[in-house]
């Protein structure tokens, strides 16, 4: 799903695209989705669009799930 978001923003300037991907994930992804996103990024981000990997630094990390 993150790659689809990146594909939408790819037509914009690079900085605007990175910000757009991060903004979309921050606004519309629930914490569970963002936790899974960071799991993928932390395993190396295989298969993720380079815009997604760059946007990860601007995505808000969710609070840890209660045990």
């Amino acid at each position: 799903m993150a790659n689809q978001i990146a594909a939408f923003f790819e037509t914009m300037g690079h900085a605007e695209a990175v910000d757009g991907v991060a903004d979309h994930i921050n606004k519309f992804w629930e914490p569970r989705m963002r936790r899974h996103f960071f799991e993928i990024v932390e395993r190396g981000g295989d298969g993720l669009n380079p815009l997604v990997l760059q946007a990860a630094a601007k995505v808000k990390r969710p609070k840890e799930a209660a045990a």
Side-chain angles (χ1 to χ4, degrees):
M1 187 180 294
N3 285 341
Q4 292 172 333
I5 296 165
F8 174 81
F9 286 104
E10 279 181 337
T11 60
M12 300 177 180
H14 183 75
E16 187 178 5
V18 170
D19 288 345
V21 171
D23 188 51
H24 181 90
I25 292 172
N26 284 327
K27 284 183 179 177
F28 300 109
W29 285 24
E30 64 180 31
R32 179 179 49 92
M33 293 172 69
R34 284 185 282 128
R35 271 194 286 286
H36 183 64
F37 170 75
F38 281 111
E39 288 171 6
I40 294 169
V41 170
E42 289 167 1
R43 286 194 307 255
D46 289 341
L48 291 179
N49 182 304
L51 284 176
V52 175
L53 292 173
Q54 293 170 358
K58 297 181 177 200
V59 174
K60 296 174 187 168
R61 286 189 174 268
K63 294 179 182 175
E64 291 299 317

